[in-house]
Amino acid sequence: MNQSISQDTTGATPVTQSDAAPGIKIKADKVKVFYGEKQALFDVDLDINENEVTSLIGPSGCGKSTFLRSLNRMNDTIDICRVEGSIALDGEDIYDKNVDVVHLRARVGMVFQKPNPFPKSIFDNVAYGPRIHGLVDNKSDLDQIVQTSLEKAGLWNEVKDRLDQPGTGLSGGQQQRLCIARAVAVSPEVILMDEPCSALDPIATAKIEELIDELRSNFTIVIVTHSMQQAARVSQKTAFFHLGYLVEVDETEKMFTNPTDERTQGYITGRFG
Amino acid sequence: MSFPVLFGVLALLTIFGYFLGRSRALATAGGHVRNLHSLPNYYGYYIGLWCAVPGFLLLLAWMGFETSILDGMLVASLPADKQNLPAAELSLLINDVKNLSHGDVTSREVVDVALQDAADFYAHIKSMSKMLLTGILVVLACGGILLARQRIAPELRARNSVEKAAMVIMIICSTIAVLTTLGIILSLLFESLRFFEKVHPLDFVFGLEWSPQTAIRKDQVGATGLFGAIPLLAGTMLISLIAMCVAAPVGLMAAIYMSEYAPSKVRGTVKPMLEILAGIPTVVYGFFAALTVAPFFRDWGLDFGLTISSESALAAGMVMGIMIIPFVSSLSDDVMSAVPQSLREGSYGLGATKSETIRQVILPAALPGIVGSLLLAVSRAIGETMIVVMAAGLAANLTANPFEAVTTVTVQIVTLLVGDQEFDSAKTLAAFALGLILFCVTLVLNIIALTIVNKYREQYD
Ligand SMILES: Nc1ncnc2c1ncn2[C@@H]1O[C@H](COP(=O)(O)OP(=O)(O)OP(=O)(O)O)[C@@H](O)[C@H]1O
Ligand SMILES: [Mg+2]
């Protein structure tokens, strides 16, 4: 198992090296998250580098989604959820009283586990963000944004003739790429992805992984995944969570070939989780 | 034994059969459930059904036919001269005989011997009938139990039979519902046709005047009533419109608050409280409208120099609007809450605010249900009677002025039928024609609602 992963990662190695010392985009410092009385995350310190893909792995229920959702304050939508510690985006604490959540979420976009296109046309799905943020003044600019976003998401050729049809009528993989296009259209700085491929078949998954690798040049990406191979293929940095603790974080290649912690080793070699 | 007792006996036998079936099934399976095709309960139901269904049908048939058969026998036993009496006198005689057999008073001064004999005969055949029924019932029920018990074996597919029987019972019940509806529609239709023999359908549907008070004597004024339904339809529309102007915005806002903003605790209390509004008897709304709201509007109109009659479409419509708020809010709240949370998060994740999310994602996704709830409320407003009787008056004015008194289709149906009526006068029959119109309008509304809901449902799921 280790063997095959190390082979996978060799493909990504040159890319990592070619990046000149990336800056820190998000800095999580002693983050604790509570659901009511129950604590789901314990003192997580994690730096997320700019223009890199960071993957979060760990057994089910260890708090990956919780951490991801605290990065754009999506946890605010859950009444009982409370976050302590600080998360800084470009050096500014996003949990500060003065931060406008709406603005924050426009900078930190999100793609969910299950594709969730709006019950609108394909065009309107992608145009949704630009419209609510007033990013465009006229129709042709909007058309342009929709087209480039769909192109970035690798969906343009498949849907360019039926932009007015409902987004819900696409296949699962296409829907997920539509959701990515929708997130990209707002031009966020960071894109959070929570198991974006778990509902997709291997071919659609491969497409999205390819896409993630391309998006990396423009965006900072954080991805939650249950597939070790996927983490190895797409990410430069991997963080391993266990029971609410961030156990280990390192260069992806190092994580999968030579993890320091016993628990990480156990998880990635499939002994538990 | 009387019918209730017999039903009780049948129920007891059925219960006995149920337990017999269970234990018998277990016994044939050597005490191991897994040897049985179905769970032991099903064998119990199996015997229970074999006992209950024939017995129940027998009791129903007996209840339906006993009287006429006994009457026939009674008449046949009377002397020939009595048998040939006119129908009315004969039925009086039969009644007397029956009363006498119960020991009650009769319509006659003297009770002659022949009458007493007839009464005795009647009492006799009646008790015979009951005894016969009891006998047949017990034999039938026990026979059913024994027959079914014989069949019980581990291989018997009791579950399949029981489920088939359950399905048949349900089909019968739904058929009863459908047939009743059909019967009502047909009777409406036939009575309306009789009405249309007296009044031309076009005069009825397009006539502009409504004054159904036909004179009792031919030489009085207004010997022929005027049956133009337009003023009534216009009044109905006006009041429904006012009602919807109140109910639609208030109901929708309340629904949005409950499903999107209210903490679950608040929602848990507010929603049932709103639903109580729907449970208040309409007559209460009616006197609320007539005694509080209408005078308030009248006085308020005086202050502004407006003439608002003390029975106005406005008062009735407003109160009716309040009454139907829960129809809008409760259903719309349900459909909005049913919009998946993932859509909300998707929208928030793009930086949308709550109100943007509601306007652009939740409402469009919930639209079919919302339209459905609105149309349901309209149907309710159109069919509402009591509030309008009490607060909007009876005058069939053709007006679009909400400050005047108007009347509606339902109110006129009530006034046409209240009191003593001949059943074949145009006035009475007009009620059926109005009912038919009302039925058609609500039917069309329901069809529209269903098509809208179906058209969008596919797209939004
Ligand atoms: N809305 C919530 N209310 C209460 N507890 C929650 C809620 N969401 C998550 N939790 C708890 O927080 C812990 C972490 O959950 P989280 O969803 O972050 O796990 P995860 O690592 O994403 O798991 P998975 O891989 O299965 O998605 C779990 O114990 C979970 O039960
Ligand atoms: Mg998760």
Side-chain angles (χ1 to χ4, degrees), chain A residues 69 102 105 116 119-120 128 133, chain B residues 342 345 347 350-351 360 460:
Chain A
R69 291 164 59 90
V102 169
R105 292 195 190 130
N116 56 351
K120 298 169 179 289
Y128 184 84
H133 294 295
Chain B
S342 68
E345 295 198 335
S347 174
L350 293 169
Q360 309 208 19
Y460 287 140

Side-chain angles (χ1 to χ4, degrees), chain B residues 206-374:
Chain B
F206 296 108
L208 297 182
E209 286 215 43
W210 176 263
S211 75
Q213 303 307 330
T214 35
I216 296 165
R217 291 194 319 274
K218 289 280 176 253
D219 53 342
Q220 281 177 315
V221 241
T224 55
L226 286 169
F227 294 97
I230 291 285
L232 308 188
L233 289 174
T236 304
M237 294 300 150
L238 180 65
I239 290 191
S240 305
L241 190 75
I242 297 172
M244 288 312 288
C245 286
V246 175
V250 177
L252 279 182
M253 298 286 180
I256 292 175
Y257 171 72
M258 283 192 293
S259 82
E260 302 300 319
Y261 289 95
S264 51
K265 249 191 193 162
V266 176
R267 180 168 187 258
T269 38
V270 170
K271 197 171 168 167
M273 272 164 67
L274 262 179
E275 276 160 7
I276 288 178
L277 273 183
I280 297 176
T282 54
V283 71
V284 175
Y285 282 106
F287 59 71
F288 179 58
L291 302 181
T292 315
V293 180
F296 171 76
F297 279 138
R298 190 192 51 216
D299 299 345
W300 177 80
L302 283 181
D303 291 345
F304 282 79
L306 291 169
T307 347
I308 302 182
S309 66
S310 53
E311 291 187 325
S312 66
L314 188 64
M318 297 271 278
V319 174
M320 195 192 285
I322 289 169
M323 183 192 80
I324 57 181
I325 285 175
F327 286 81
V328 180
S329 70
S330 198
L331 209 68
S332 302
D333 169 50
D334 286 343
V335 291
M336 283 194 277
S337 304
V339 172
Q341 182 66 16
S342 68
L343 284 186
R344 285 187 193 97
E345 295 198 335
S347 174
Y348 296 147
L350 293 169
T353 63
K354 200 156 201 166
S355 69
E356 281 163 346
T357 305
I358 291 168
R359 261 183 290 126
Q360 309 208 19
V361 177
I362 313 280
L363 286 182
L367 191 67
I370 292 175
V371 172
S373 74
L374 289 178

Side-chain angles (χ1 to χ4, degrees), chain A residues 12 15 42 63 67 117 179 214:
Chain A
V15 186
F42 301 85
F67 179 72
C179 293
E214 287 164 19

Side-chain angles (χ1 to χ4, degrees), chain B residues 78-79 82 97 111-119:
Chain B
L78 293 174
K82 294 262 170 59
V97 173
V111 174
D112 59 16
V113 185
L115 197 67
Q116 187 60 55
D117 279 354

Side-chain angles (χ1 to χ4, degrees), chain A residues 64-66 113 194-195 224 226:
Chain A
K64 306 178 296 292
S65 300
T66 302
Q113 175 170 5
D194 194 348
E195 301 181 43
V224 171
H226 273 290

Side-chain angles (χ1 to χ4, degrees), chain A residues 35 38 40 59-66 78 80 195 226:
Chain A
Y35 290 108
K38 183 175 173 297
S60 186
C62 66
K64 306 178 296 292
S65 300
T66 302
I78 301 170
I80 54 168
E195 301 181 43
H226 273 290

